[in-house]
Amino acid sequence: MRTLEGALKLKEISYIHAEGYPAAEMKHGPIAMIDERTPTVVLAPTDILYDKTQSNLQEIKARKGPIIAVTTEGNTRLAGSVDDILYVPATVDPLYPLLNVIPLQLLAYHIAVARGCDVDKPRNLAKSVTVE
């Protein structure tokens, strides 16, 4: 779910197409889109799924895809495998989704500002949902 939130924010405020996928689904379609012009944001906290995420990083690197990783503070194992690293504090596994979404939202915000988008008034978005 956390990757979906990051992709949603990127679409909503920077107008860039983005998709969120669980790591287990990387080899079932998204990997075909990876090339040197397609950055991938990988959520890789040092939780129970960390080792499985490492194989995805190798697949992306093999296709020369740039990688931005969000990982746990103090994790030095990604340094040579990724292009940029954003750190979140260490916590218990169930809380990583809450921490990981913050850098994704900030990334979307800064990309939108760099593109000259008005982040306070995203186009075609309602501030509230109404039902008639």
Side-chain angles (χ1 to χ4, degrees), residues 77-100:
R77 294 182 282 177
L78 292 180
S81 304
V82 301
D83 299 287
D84 290 293
I85 301 176
L86 303 171
Y87 292 102
V88 297
T91 189
V92 293
D93 287 2
L95 293 181
Y96 276 118
L98 294 173
L99 291 178
N100 284 337

Side-chain angles (χ1 to χ4, degrees), residues 1-14 16-22 41 43 96-109 125:
M1 291 304 253
R2 54 194 179 216
T3 58
L4 296 176
E5 172 68 13
L8 177 66
K9 290 301 173 216
L10 200 57
K11 288 184 273 193
E12 284 180 343
I13 64 173
S14 68
I16 294 174
H17 179 75
E19 296 186 38
Y21 286 94
V41 178
L43 301 179
Y96 276 118
L98 294 173
L99 291 178
N100 284 337
V101 77
I102 296 167
L104 297 180
Q105 291 174 334
L106 288 170
L107 182 64
Y109 170 81
L125 286 182

Side-chain angles (χ1 to χ4, degrees), residues 105-121:
Q105 291 174 334
L106 288 170
L107 182 64
Y109 170 81
H110 287 291
I111 289 171
V113 169
R115 291 173 50 94
C117 302
D118 185 350
V119 295
D120 292 320
K121 295 180 185 165

Side-chain angles (χ1 to χ4, degrees), residues 39-50:
T40 302
V41 178
V42 176
L43 301 179
T46 52
D47 61 6
I48 58 172
L49 299 175
Y50 182 78

